[in-house]
Amino acid sequence: MTLFQKIIAREIPADIVFEDDLCLAFRDISPKAPVHILVVPKRVIPRVAESLPADMELLGHLLFTAGQIARSEGVADSGFRLVINNGPDGGETVPHLHVHLLGGRPMAWPPG
Ligand code: AMP
């Protein structure tokens, strides 16, 4: 079971901001911005490079949901960033696909 499956199962506490049949969104435990939320599919996809054609609708749902949460968190107009880390060089630490929603401060480009 991945760490995020344990959060989905309520075995580990989290500050949940949104849930539906397909995904759960909660605040990152080590926030890198004033708003830092993880949008996680309930069905485990380890990482985006291992997603399957059958996952396409779910992947779209995660992005759509992240945009809706950006609105409800009040950062849609000021701007925000969505990040998906994939593999070692991408900085992935939890092998359960998740979209980082970061907002509430200006973001540098390119990322370090
Ligand atoms: P990544 O490095 O892209 O795999 O992102 C994993 C994220 O999960 C990191 O930003 C961590 O701070 C976050 N994280 C780890 N454990 C928890 C937890 N128990 N609750 C919320 N976020 C967590």
Side-chain angles (χ1 to χ4, degrees):
M1 212 178 193
T2 69
L3 171 67
F4 293 162
Q5 280 177 294
K6 290 178 183 170
I7 290 175
I8 291 164
R10 296 344 193 236
E11 290 177 16
I12 294 176
D15 185 355
I16 294 168
V17 299
F18 176 82
E19 180 172 25
D20 66 14
D21 290 346
L22 299 177
C23 69
L24 187 75
F26 50 90
R27 295 189 195 282
D28 197 291
I29 202 166
S30 177
K32 304 300 185 287
V35 174
H36 188 174
I37 290 167
L38 305 176
V39 186
V40 178
K42 289 186 175 177
R43 185 173 83 231
V44 179
I45 301 169
R47 57 195 57 83
V48 74
E50 290 173 35
S51 60
L52 302 170
D55 296 322
M56 280 198 275
E57 192 171 337
L58 178 56
L59 293 173
H61 183 78
L62 298 176
L63 291 184
F64 176 79
T65 300
Q68 296 298 300
I69 296 171
R71 294 208 164 281
S72 63
E73 291 288 318
V75 297
D77 292 337
S78 53
F80 60 94
R81 183 169 291 173
L82 302 180
V83 173
I84 301 174
N85 295 326
N86 193 113
D89 282 358
E92 174 201 310
T93 59
V94 179
H96 181 154
L97 187 129
H98 46 284
V99 178
H100 294 258
L101 163 60
L102 297 144
R105 65 165 172 81
M107 306 281 158
W109 188 261

